[in-house]
């Protein structure tokens, strides 16, 4: 059982630590301190559900249904381009963390819907979390322990990212740093969208 748990944890850590659209979104929300803990919790729950679904059969379904992956691919590309353009616009404006806070926080519902879209409209989530992690988990001696290990890795990573970035926010609140963050988010979103469109 423990071997399956550790395998799930190590595989999940290896995939989620790479900076992608989801991590960039959590980082930005955490630096803004804009509902960052609910966003992290949502990402943890989504990852756990997707891994469990992949381990217990969805990986096989997706592998044999390219239409579903195509829908996710193009929907994800459109959303990521829109979100990247929004971040690029922010990067070109003179602003700081305090300036953004002065504009008022978005509602928790709006932020969580954006987090859900970044998570579920990104086909890389299905390729990595469902197909890759799920396929490996289905071969484990104790698949349930593997799912628990992957969920633990997600919980540790997103909690650390949300709490750590929020803690660093006062030191990262300068306008130049904030513009750099928005630019990084924009580049990441455009890069992932380009991979979806041209691959």
């Amino acid at each position: 059982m423990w071997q399956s748990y550790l395998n799930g944890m190590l595989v999940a850590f290896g995939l989620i630590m790479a900076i992608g659209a989801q991590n960039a979104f959590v980082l930005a929300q955490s630096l803004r301190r804009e509902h960052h803990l609910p966003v992290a919790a949502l990402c943890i729950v989504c990852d756990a559900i997707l891994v469990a679904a992949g381990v217990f059969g969805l990986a096989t379904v997706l592998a044999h249904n390219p239409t579903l992956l195509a829908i996710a691919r193009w929907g994800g590309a459109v959303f990521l381009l829109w979100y990247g353009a929004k971040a690029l616009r922010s990067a070109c404006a003179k602003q700081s963390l305090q300036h953004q806070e002065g504009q008022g926080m978005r509602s928790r519902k709006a932020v969580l819907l954006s987090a859900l879209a970044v998570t579920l409209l990104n086909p890389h989530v299905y390729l990595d979390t469902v197909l890759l992690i799920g396929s490996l988990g289905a071969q484990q001696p104790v698949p349930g322990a593997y799912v628990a290990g992957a969920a633990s890795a997600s919980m540790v990573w997103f909690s650390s990212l949300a709490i750590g970035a929020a803690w660093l926010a006062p030191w990262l609140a300068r306008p130049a740093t904030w513009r750099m963050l928005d630019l990084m988010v924009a580049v990441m979103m455009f890069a992932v969208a380009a991979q979806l469109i041209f691959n």
Side-chain angles (χ1 to χ4, degrees):
M1 180 180 85
W2 287 110
Q3 186 61 49
S4 295
Y5 178 87
L6 288 174
N7 286 344
M9 180 175 275
L10 292 173
V11 169
F13 260 130
L15 288 173
I16 65 174
M17 284 179 69
I19 293 296
Q22 190 183 44
N23 285 338
F25 183 84
V26 174
L27 178 64
Q29 292 307 121
S30 300
L31 288 175
R32 289 185 180 99
R33 297 184 182 183
E34 187 180 50
H35 309 298
H36 57 290
L37 294 179
V39 165
L42 179 69
C43 291
I44 292 165
V45 170
C46 285
D47 277 6
I49 291 171
L50 290 169
V51 168
V55 169
F56 297 112
L58 186 58
T60 305
V61 173
L62 285 178
H64 293 91
N65 196 332
T67 304
L68 286 177
L69 285 178
I71 291 170
R73 173 186 177 191
W74 290 105
V78 168
F79 175 79
L80 292 171
L81 286 171
W82 171 80
Y83 198 88
K86 184 178 171 187
L88 185 60
R89 183 178 162 197
S90 292
C92 294
K94 290 185 177 180
Q95 61 181 337
S96 65
L97 185 58
Q98 286 86 353
H99 177 69
Q100 287 211 345
E101 286 171 346
Q103 293 176 340
M105 289 177 61
R106 292 183 294 170
S107 70
R108 180 181 297 177
K109 180 180 178 182
V111 171
L112 290 179
L113 285 174
S114 293
L116 206 56
V118 167
T119 299
L120 299 181
L121 292 180
N122 182 0
H124 285 290
V125 169
Y126 297 98
L127 296 174
D128 293 343
T129 308
V130 177
L131 287 175
L132 183 56
I133 299 178
S135 298
L136 292 171
Q139 302 168 30
Q140 296 295 313
V142 187
Y146 178 90
V147 171
S152 298
S154 182
M155 183 173 68
V156 170
W157 173 252
F158 286 115
S159 298
S160 301
L161 189 61
I163 294 168
W167 181 70
L168 290 172
W171 292 276
L172 299 175
R174 295 172 303 176
T177 304
W178 203 242
R179 285 197 295 273
M180 187 73 72
L181 172 70
D182 278 326
L183 187 59
M184 182 197 79
V185 170
V187 168
M188 185 59 57
M189 298 296 175
F190 289 146
V192 175
Q195 287 177 1
L196 296 179
I197 292 169
F198 297 111
N199 287 345

